[in-house]
Amino acid sequence: DQLADIKSGTVMILGIGVSKYQSSKIPTLKYADRDSQRIVKHFKDRYKLSDDRAMLLTNEDATAIKISRFITQNAAKLLTKDDTFILYFGGHGAPDVDGTSNDNDGLKKYLLLHDSELDSLPMTALSLNNLAMLLEKLPCKRVVILLDSCFAGTAGVQTLAKLKGLRVSEKSYKNITDMSGEGRVILAASSENQVSLEDDSLQAGVF
């Protein structure tokens, strides 16, 4: 458990979980909000984090403005180079046609938030491009991104690869070999053509 063996600095976690969507066009999920609560509680308890270092944004609170505000105001100001920032997202992902995509597939990848609209993704959802730019502003050496979402795997890795010193889990991205450096990791629940699943017997997402 590499995350459990952090020796120096401290941890900050932002957990985002969206089960309920404002748009009727986006299917409801059963456990995304609950999964994010569990993740945040785990790290908060394990590292005895104060409230300003453990943020949970679920459903109505999971908006692009609140996510951006926490990263640029709380995280960017409180973190030091020896700290570790963990971001967990549980919810739907969606692609949109974009000829400038970094992934060379003509698609831009988005994480759907509570108020996202499928016909207006650039304005209402969080693109992986924007997420990468937000995280790039952090002063800490270690950034861990946990994405429990479709389109979180290989399809979006080149977008997030703009993070300096990115390292990618080999289990999820066996075909990604052009990554170097240390301290920045992505773990994804699904690869390019897979669907993230929920399991009623576990009452949780299958990460």
Side-chain angles (χ1 to χ4, degrees):
D1 185 353
Q2 294 179 351
L3 296 181
D5 294 330
I6 297 172
K7 302 297 184 183
S8 61
T10 188
V11 172
M12 178 180 287
I13 181 165
L14 169 59
I16 306 161
V18 188
S19 290
K20 300 176 183 178
Y21 291 87
Q22 188 171 283
S23 172
S24 60
K25 297 179 181 179
I26 304 176
T28 297
L29 293 170
K30 293 181 180 180
Y31 308 117
D33 50 357
R34 189 182 305 182
D35 288 344
S36 64
Q37 292 170 0
R38 290 169 173 166
I39 291 288
V40 171
K41 184 179 186 303
H42 169 78
F43 285 103
K44 188 173 184 179
D45 292 346
R46 188 177 194 98
Y47 295 103
K48 299 178 174 59
L49 302 178
S50 57
D51 289 342
D52 59 354
R53 288 183 173 269
M55 173 60 70
L56 176 65
L57 298 174
T58 61
N59 298 322
E60 292 85 354
D61 289 327
T63 64
I65 291 177
K66 290 186 177 181
I67 294 169
S68 176
R69 183 181 296 152
F70 181 80
I71 294 175
T72 59
Q73 295 183 12
N74 285 57
K77 293 179 180 179
L78 293 178
L79 290 171
T80 70
K81 63 181 179 66
D82 292 322
D83 291 339
T84 299
F85 182 78
I86 301 169
L87 183 143
Y88 171 86
F89 176 84
H92 286 301
D96 195 21
V97 176
D98 183 355
T100 64
S101 168
N102 292 332
D103 299 331
N104 301 317
D105 60 4
L107 298 173
K108 181 174 284 188
K109 316 307 181 308
Y110 292 89
L111 303 178
L112 298 187
L113 307 174
H114 172 71
D115 55 353
S116 294
E117 298 287 343
L118 294 180
D119 57 356
S120 185
L121 291 177
M123 300 296 293
T124 62
L126 178 62
S127 72
L128 294 188
N129 296 74
N130 289 342
L131 177 59
M133 287 189 289
L134 287 172
L135 296 178
E136 187 64 37
K137 299 179 184 298
L138 298 179
C140 54
K141 293 179 181 177
R142 293 182 288 268
V143 175
V144 179
I145 306 167
L146 309 173
L147 296 180
D148 190 358
S149 173
C150 300
F151 300 105
T154 310
V157 71
Q158 292 184 40
T159 298
L160 289 174
K162 63 177 63 178
L163 282 170
K164 295 177 180 178
L166 176 72
R167 299 191 72 174
V168 183
S169 168
E170 292 181 358
K171 292 182 180 179
S172 297
Y173 306 116
K174 292 181 179 179
N175 60 328
I176 303 298
T177 58
D178 191 25
M179 300 294 170
S180 61
E182 62 182 62
R184 299 180 187 266
V185 180
I186 297 174
L187 301 177
S190 60
S191 60
E192 181 174 7
N193 296 312
Q194 291 180 324
V195 176
S196 298
L197 301 175
E198 294 187 310
D199 189 326
D200 288 334
S201 65
L202 298 174
Q203 293 192 350
V206 182
F207 193 91

